[in-house]
Amino acid sequence: MSITMDTTLASLVTNKRRVSALKSLGIITVGDALTYYPFRVTEPVPLRAIREAAPGQQMAFAAVIRDMRVVPMNARRGYRLEATVDDADFARSRRVPGSTARLTFFSYRKSYVDWVSVRLRAGTSVVVSGMPGEYMGQLQFTHPEILTVAPVPAGAGAGLEGYARGAASGNGAFAGSADPYASAQSAYPPAATAPSGAALKYDADTVQEALTRVCRPRPVYHASSRISSEHIHETILGLLWMMGARTSSTPDGQLAGAGAAGIVAPATDTIAVQNGEEKSGTTAESGAEALSQSIPDVLPESVRKAKNLMHRAEAFLAIHDPASTARFKESIETLRYEEAFVSQVSLLKARSHAHKSAAHSCPLVTDSLRDQFIASLPFSLTAGQQQVIHDIAADLAHDWPMQRLLQGEVGSGKTVVALAAMLQAVDAGYQAVLVAPTQVLAEQHAETIGRMVEQLKPAIPVTLLTGGMKLAARRKALAAASSGEPGIIVATHAAFSKTFQAPHLALVVIDEQHRFGVEQRESLNAKTDDGTTPHLLVMTATPIPRTAAMTWFGDLDISWLTELPGGRKPIRTVVVNEADAATMGRMFAHIRARVDAGERAYIVCPRIDADDEENEGGSGVSAAAGSARGRAAASGSSARTAAGGRATRAAADAIGIDDPYETFDENGETVARPPLHAVAEIADRLQKLPQFQGIRFATLTGRDKDDVKTQVMADFAGGETPILVSTTVIEVGVDVKQASCIVIFDADRYGLSQLHQLRGRVGRGGTNSWAFLISRAEPGSPAEQRLEVIHHSLDGAEIAQADLEFRGAGDVLGDAQSGGKSSLKLLRVVKDADMIADARTRAGQLLAADPELAGEVQLAGAVLDFTRGNETFLTSS
């Protein structure tokens, strides 16, 4: 059976429980497994004789089992297995006296004790790795790692001499170590031979092989309660073996070589197919060649050699079975550069493709609608707004499509800039569409724009189109758009439907770009009747550091709005420990006082119902829940779903955190956290507090129907229900000027950029405003440190920089919000800025010589995969 990166694990792994557990981590194919990278690697375990043991310090040694006994633990139930080991021969090789130690195992399961008993028969040669301790005056190893060594045929050495040669040559994990074991000439005694008639399976053929395996650095993966890091590692090594790897990556840069540590063939009760097992004479070199054929390189050979990088197959082998920590780091650098190169080729191809398209030219005219609009504003534009409007006007005058990203802080006036651009398109006789992620936001945009343009001459039609409209109103809106009459259309996802037609469409404005995929945006290109591509203006209030924006939106021209309009007061941010009842009480009293003064308050909770399962989709929240991913990318988040990281609609509605931070123990397993607060639960509790007697509450979630959302927001803005308990459906664009307070429960579980967005919902009317971040974070924990960032800063770029460092680029820049799987797993857009710049230069040179990548088939495929997997980044590909 030919195994490729696209082969499913279900067809290879016979253990269905393991297949299911891996699937919950987003690992479905061989490619998913090989790109599920470890987050750290352990240091090599030092070799020490028993007499050299230091309590609390990891060590490994070779020994022989002298005796073994199983003791029932009557008082505690279960069993204790004790085995005595003697390292006389191993110690002699280290020129120290031999000694004995006790290996101890505890278990309630008789089957486990029986299995260990069979392995640790008297006379068996073993290699032990573990942490020594002391019990009743004797050195003891509790539950150490044990590898049994196959008995030596009569007349042959037991393998110590072979290990000596390996150590002396500096191979593998022991390179450069001054090890007196290299001079050993003895062998294990005949007692190590197998019992007559036994059919035992040993873990290693030689002592050298076993010592190399337990001592070499070991990768540690983000795991879960369903599968351990060790089992993830075992599965990946089994896959590499099946694809042809027989030995580990060696320090001299070769995939395999003489004396390298062997990869053990996977057990048939775990792996169904074993590639090449019929070829008993497979050599290391042919195995390496087979692996490189199964895993072809993506980087062009010229680039790989110029950067002195590994072959892709070699890098996978070195990252999952490293011969040294240096080798591990080298493989990460190779795969990190690969990601940088593929991403930059994708962006440059997208930019080149856009410049070859035709677009409607929309030059400015005398006494333009745009200029009328700017003159009618009751305030002066900031210098930043004036500059961006000028840049957009120049772009719209071209006959090729504008592609511009407009990034601005919450409340920086992006809507005014977008409206000026849309009026320029209307003035030229064309249509403009503004696409908003939610009905509430679309209705607010339509109302605001209608009010702003009502005094302009000639009159500008403003059409609202949403999926929640009644049939008659929807038909009327669709008819107005299909007429081709110059005007402004404000729409939700309804603009992407087949029934929507805008034959004279010249400009598309996307508000909050991370809510829409490439296919949706591209569908608007088909709305024109003359084959032109509309100009594109993408807006986002999610703060993105300049380096990151230039990296990910490299196919767009980028504008920043950094100044806030006059009259906005800074928001006071307070972090409150939920266990501090006195402070919580004062906070609620303060909110009551603001409500009595005619102001409004938001209470934000991450879940809708208390009985929603947190692990149903915390990292896959979509527009339905008002939140903006599962790699999680490669984070191993417990919030990933069984569908490989893609959240269901129900899960998206249920949980409003964009990407819950995971905490992991030293083995990479997720640490249990308290359940998230829910809208229904908090609304019920707050209404019973004495501070809120006589106050009406309202609730708003992503599950509510559109007409209910509209009515709830109207009642909130009008003051009938001055306190709104909601999910993050209010995160983007909701503009209630009387809102002065926002309380965010479980704030320690949100991304910093999302907290910044939520905080921006208050203080929009020029009043004093407060944001209360309710936390259950442990003192001194990373979660508390994250909240300190937003506590002390109102600078979106600074907050986003910290968010990138805490979480990584994929989660912050959109992958977490899209529900898709990211191709970006190792690249750090801030720390690797120089690497990205180098990759962009080399990608440009490659595309100049081969624009269609006809000579780089593997790279072309990787670019296509990257574009599909990262459509939230590529706004125009």
Side-chain angles (χ1 to χ4, degrees):
M1 175 180 177
S2 177
I3 301 174
T4 69
M5 298 286 280
D6 295 323
T7 303
T8 62
L9 294 189
S11 65
L12 302 176
V13 180
T14 55
N15 187 328
K16 299 309 176 187
R17 292 181 65 183
R18 183 174 295 190
V19 171
S20 176
L22 291 169
K23 188 176 181 181
S24 70
L25 296 177
I27 304 173
I28 300 173
T29 66
V30 171
D32 294 334
L34 297 185
T35 56
Y36 192 81
Y37 302 122
F39 67 92
R40 70 179 178 90
V41 66
T42 63
E43 291 296 323
V45 177
L47 289 174
R48 290 178 183 151
I50 293 176
R51 283 190 180 273
E52 298 172 305
Q57 295 183 16
Q58 193 85 6
M59 60 176 281
F61 62 94
V64 175
I65 303 293
R66 289 308 178 201
D67 61 68
M68 182 270 300
R69 65 173 183 154
V70 176
V71 182
M73 297 186 296
N74 296 324
R76 295 169 52 194
R77 296 179 26 252
Y79 304 87
R80 182 178 76 251
L81 183 148
E82 296 177 350
T84 302
V85 293
D86 178 354
D87 75 337
D89 297 287
F90 178 78
R92 191 180 309 120
S93 73
R94 296 186 62 81
R95 295 179 182 151
V96 297
S99 186
T100 60
R102 182 167 51 216
L103 312 181
T104 305
F105 301 84
F106 299 93
S107 180
Y108 291 109
R109 292 163 46 208
K110 185 67 164 58
S111 59
Y112 171 77
V113 173
D114 291 341
W115 176 73
V116 176
S117 300
V118 171
R119 300 181 76 228
L120 303 187
R121 294 186 184 200
T124 302
S125 299
V126 294
V127 165
V128 181
S129 174
M131 194 88 70
E134 188 174 329
Y135 180 69
M136 297 183 66
Q138 185 175 2
L139 196 69
Q140 174 174 284
F141 293 81
T142 303
H143 284 274
E145 179 180 2
I146 302 287
L147 293 185
T148 58
V149 181
V152 181
L160 288 176
E161 298 89 347
Y163 176 71
R165 288 192 297 274
S169 68
N171 192 296
F174 315 101
S177 62
D179 192 350
Y181 187 25
S183 63
Q185 297 297 321
S186 62
Y188 281 115
T193 57
S196 176
L200 299 179
K201 180 177 180 181
Y202 295 91
D203 299 316
D205 292 330
T206 65
V207 173
Q208 174 191 354
E209 176 191 332
L211 284 170
T212 303
R213 281 171 54 190
V214 300
C215 291
R216 66 190 295 110
R218 200 165 307 183
V220 182
Y221 303 81
H222 285 314
S224 71
S225 59
R226 299 179 61 187
I227 186 168
S228 66
S229 172
E230 195 65 35
H231 283 156
I232 294 172
H233 187 215
E234 176 187 283
T235 303
I236 293 174
L237 288 185
L239 295 173
L240 287 169
W241 193 93
M242 287 190 292
M243 298 178 83
R246 293 296 181 270
T247 60
S248 306
S249 176
T250 57
D252 61 1
Q254 302 300 313
L255 272 172
I263 295 181
V264 179
T268 53
D269 58 353
T270 301
I271 298 293
V273 179
Q274 296 193 359
N275 183 38
E277 60 185 352
E278 72 285 350
K279 301 176 183 177
S280 57
T282 300
T283 64
E285 289 74 13
S286 64
E289 183 180 347
L291 186 64
S292 62
Q293 289 176 354
S294 300
I295 308 174
D297 214 347
V298 167
L299 289 174
E301 185 70 11
S302 59
V303 173
R304 188 170 71 83
K305 288 185 176 179
K307 297 294 294 181
N308 194 28
L309 301 173
M310 299 178 178
H311 187 282
R312 192 179 201 217
E314 181 186 358
F316 279 142
L317 197 53
I319 202 170
H320 292 298
D321 192 32
S324 65
T325 53
R327 194 68 174 156
F328 178 81
K329 292 174 182 177
E330 187 181 346
S331 65
I332 286 180
E333 286 303 296
T334 291
L335 294 168
R336 187 171 281 155
Y337 191 89
E338 177 188 291
E339 289 182 356
F341 193 82
V342 170
S343 68
Q344 294 310 305
V345 171
S346 301
L347 289 164
L348 291 175
K349 278 181 66 67
R351 191 180 185 94
S352 173
H353 173 74
H355 284 183
K356 294 176 182 178
S357 304
H360 292 297
S361 174
C362 304
L364 275 175
V365 297
T366 306
D367 190 28
S368 65
L369 288 170
R370 192 202 73 169
D371 293 341
Q372 287 183 49
F373 162 65
I374 293 173
S376 70
L377 291 172
F379 53 83
S380 298
L381 297 177
T382 65
Q385 286 175 313
Q386 294 178 30
Q387 182 61 51
V388 174
I389 288 174
H390 174 77
D391 292 342
I392 291 174
D395 287 347
L396 291 175
H398 295 145
D399 58 2
W400 65 84
M402 170 184 74
Q403 292 189 288
R404 184 171 291 275
L405 170 68
L406 175 58
Q407 175 181 317
E409 277 284 2
V410 174
S412 60
K414 296 185 297 297
T415 303
V416 170
V417 172
L419 182 52
M422 290 189 287
L423 289 173
Q424 184 173 337
V426 172
D427 226 358
Y430 299 110
Q431 296 169 293
V433 172
L434 170 62
V435 186
T438 67
Q439 176 163 329
V440 170
L441 185 53
E443 290 173 345
Q444 287 191 357
H445 276 318
E447 181 183 352
T448 302
I449 291 172
R451 192 167 58 247
M452 285 180 162
V453 303
E454 61 184 359
Q455 302 299 325
L456 302 183
K457 302 295 181 183
I460 308 298
V462 178
T463 303
L464 174 65
L465 176 64
T466 71
M469 298 173 70
K470 292 184 178 179
L471 184 58
R474 181 180 174 84
R475 285 177 174 171
K476 184 178 179 181
L478 289 171
S482 62
S483 71
E485 178 187 3
I488 295 173
I489 303 162
V490 181
T492 58
H493 290 72
F496 305 123
S497 68
K498 294 181 180 179
T499 56
F500 175 73
Q501 296 296 327
H504 294 161
L505 183 60
L507 173 64
V508 174
V509 179
I510 303 288
D511 192 12
E512 290 308 316
Q513 59 82 26
H514 57 263
R515 305 301 179 86
F516 305 102
V518 167
E519 287 92 350
Q520 290 177 314
R521 287 189 291 268
E522 286 295 298
S523 71
L524 290 173
N525 291 344
K527 306 301 182 183
T528 58
D529 59 359
D530 52 11
T532 58
T533 299
H535 298 281
L536 176 67
L537 177 63
V538 173
M539 301 194 299
T540 180
T542 301
I544 305 170
R546 184 173 293 264
T547 306
M550 292 177 68
T551 299
W552 282 121
F553 300 101
D555 59 332
L556 303 178
D557 298 309
I558 305 173
S559 298
W560 278 268
L561 288 178
T562 55
E563 303 170 70
L564 293 180
R568 293 291 296 271
K569 295 182 179 180
I571 302 168
R572 303 173 194 180
T573 305
V574 183
V575 179
V576 181
N577 188 319
E578 189 174 341
D580 186 350
T583 303
M584 292 284 286
R586 290 196 300 273
M587 176 189 72
F588 290 134
H590 171 80
I591 293 172
R592 174 60 188 260
R594 303 319 308 162
V595 169
D596 289 343
E599 296 169 10
R600 315 280 186 270
Y602 297 105
I603 312 289
V604 179
C605 304
R607 287 197 293 172
I608 297 176
D609 301 314
D611 57 353
D612 286 323
E613 290 293 332
E614 179 185 348
N615 63 1
E616 282 185 356
S619 62
V621 181
S622 67
S627 182
R629 187 168 157 84
R631 216 188 138 336
S635 70
S637 169
S638 65
R640 291 190 181 95
T641 65
R646 296 183 181 274
T648 63
R649 174 62 181 262
D653 288 341
I655 301 180
I657 290 180
D658 65 353
D659 186 31
Y661 289 103
E662 293 295 334
T663 53
F664 302 94
D665 62 20
E666 63 180 9
N667 293 320
E669 296 198 17
T670 54
V671 176
R673 299 176 296 178
L676 298 167
H677 287 299
V679 169
E681 164 213 352
I682 292 298
D684 182 62
R685 283 171 51 186
L686 295 186
Q687 291 179 81
K688 294 176 181 178
L689 293 177
Q691 292 96 326
F692 296 123
Q693 291 302 308
I695 297 295
R696 290 186 61 194
F697 282 67
T699 61
L700 183 68
T701 74
R703 288 183 188 163
D704 294 329
K705 294 182 178 179
D706 289 334
D707 57 341
V708 173
K709 292 178 184 176
T710 301
Q711 186 61 50
V712 168
M713 289 306 301
D715 291 345
F716 177 65
E720 294 182 38
T721 52
I723 298 181
L724 178 64
V725 185
S726 76
T727 59
T728 52
V729 72
I730 56 104
E731 177 187 355
V732 174
V734 172
D735 189 3
V736 177
K737 298 191 182 304
Q738 297 89 345
S740 63
C741 296
I742 184 167
V743 178
I744 305 171
F745 280 92
D746 295 305
D748 52 301
R749 305 276 285 276
Y750 288 82
L752 295 184
S753 294
Q754 192 179 24
L755 287 175
H756 184 62
Q757 282 273 26
L758 289 166
R759 180 171 60 180
R761 295 310 100 207
V762 298
R764 304 173 76 85
T767 60
N768 290 322
S769 54
W770 293 263
F772 299 97
L773 309 181
I774 312 302
S775 168
R776 289 183 281 185
E778 294 291 330
S781 65
E784 186 181 62
Q785 295 170 20
R786 290 194 299 268
L787 291 182
E788 283 303 301
V789 172
I790 201 159
H791 177 207
H792 294 293
S793 178
L794 293 171
D795 185 335
E798 179 184 332
I799 290 167
Q801 176 80 24
D803 215 4
L804 278 170
E805 293 171 359
F806 279 124
R807 291 203 289 170
D811 296 335
V812 177
L813 300 185
D815 179 61
Q817 290 86 1
S818 73
K821 294 197 296 183
S822 172
S823 300
L824 178 74
K825 298 188 177 182
L826 295 173
L827 190 66
R828 304 159 303 185
V829 295
V830 176
K831 294 181 181 179
D832 297 326
D834 291 341
M835 176 186 289
I836 292 167
D838 179 88
R840 191 172 183 85
T841 300
R842 295 179 188 275
Q845 294 169 351
L846 175 67
L847 288 173
D850 186 4
E852 300 304 320
L853 300 178
E856 300 291 344
V857 177
Q858 295 300 328
L859 176 61
V863 167
L864 182 60
D865 290 342
F866 179 88
T867 304
R868 289 171 175 167
N870 293 274
E871 60 183 30
T872 53
F873 304 127
L874 302 172
T875 60
S876 59
S877 62

